[in-house]
């Protein structure tokens, strides 16, 4: 499956349940069709297979949204990173119990400005708040508030929404 031009029928066959995890992973990363990738994302017992299905890029956003509820943190991190994850799912991941999941969701270009604002104001971990402040979708009001926090000001000044006062605050830190 390392060849550049593997026939689609072989990719489909190797992505199915009746092959080892390593073969399924290779086929799913190669871009197995949606009707094979979606069930792998949602029902495979091996989380590496679920992640490969997601990374293969053939899953429908509705299936990706369902995968946001996966029991394994690493799968949810990859869901948060996926460019096809719907906004509602990314916003839900911003409230996840795992810091790494919330941080990945805070970086997402699909996060809503409202959820990023809440994240900057309420998340208990500075790394997650920094990721939210650095997101270009973060509202200017949240970026301005972050300029007052020494733990966030450096992330805030990197955001184009940073007010001039934020730059002065950064210079004083």
């Amino acid at each position: 499956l390392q060849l550049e031009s593997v026939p689609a029928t072989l990719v489909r066959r190797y992505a199915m349940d009746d092959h080892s995890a390593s073969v399924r992973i290779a086929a799913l990363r190669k871009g197995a069709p949606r009707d094979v990738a979606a069930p792998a994302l949602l029902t495979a017992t091996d989380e590496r297979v679920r992640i490969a299905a997601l990374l293969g890029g053939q899953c429908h956003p509705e299936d990706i949204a369902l995968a946001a509820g996966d029991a394994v943190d690493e799968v949810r991190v990859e869901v948060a990173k996926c460019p096809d994850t719907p906004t509602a799912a990314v916003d839900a991941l911003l409230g996840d119990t795992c810091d790494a999941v919330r941080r990945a969701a805070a970086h997402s270009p699909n996060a809503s400005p409202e959820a990023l604002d809440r994240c900057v104001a309420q998340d208990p971990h500075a790394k997650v708040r920094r990721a939210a402040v650095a997101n270009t979708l973060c509202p200017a009001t949240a970026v301005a508030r972050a300029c007052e926090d020494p733990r966030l000001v450096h992330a805030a000044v990197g955001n184009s929404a940073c007010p001039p006062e934020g730059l002065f605050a950064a210079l004083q830190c």
Side-chain angles (χ1 to χ4, degrees), residues 72-88:
V72 177
D73 294 346
E74 290 81 7
V75 174
R76 294 193 316 280
V77 165
E78 293 302 327
V79 169
K81 290 179 181 179
C82 180
D84 297 323
T85 303
T87 296

Side-chain angles (χ1 to χ4, degrees), residues 3-149:
L3 301 174
E4 288 299 316
S5 58
V6 176
T9 54
L10 283 179
V11 171
R12 172 187 289 280
R13 184 180 318 150
Y14 289 138
M16 301 293 233
D17 281 335
D18 55 346
H19 292 285
S20 70
S22 59
V23 169
R24 291 185 74 200
I25 289 167
L28 288 162
R29 283 186 174 226
K30 190 76 175 162
R34 183 175 288 162
D35 65 321
V36 176
L41 172 63
L42 299 173
T43 64
T45 55
D46 188 323
E47 66 263 14
R48 296 170 306 153
V49 172
R50 296 194 303 273
I51 291 170
L54 181 65
L55 296 177
Q58 298 299 321
C59 292
H60 192 275
E62 291 174 4
D63 298 319
I64 297 169
L66 291 173
D70 197 284
V72 177
D73 294 346
E74 290 81 7
V75 174
R76 294 193 316 280
V77 165
E78 293 302 327
V79 169
K81 290 179 181 179
C82 180
D84 297 323
T85 303
T87 296
V90 173
D91 289 354
L93 291 170
L94 280 167
D96 198 274
T97 57
C98 175
D99 301 343
V101 173
R102 292 194 317 278
R103 186 174 178 193
H107 281 292
S108 175
N110 296 331
S112 73
E114 300 80 17
L116 291 168
D117 188 15
R118 279 190 306 278
C119 182
V120 171
Q122 300 172 0
D123 198 277
H125 294 280
K127 287 183 179 182
V128 177
R129 293 193 309 273
R130 277 194 294 273
V133 167
N135 190 320
T136 58
L137 297 172
C138 190
T141 54
V143 176
R145 278 194 325 266
C147 289
E148 299 169 9
D149 184 337

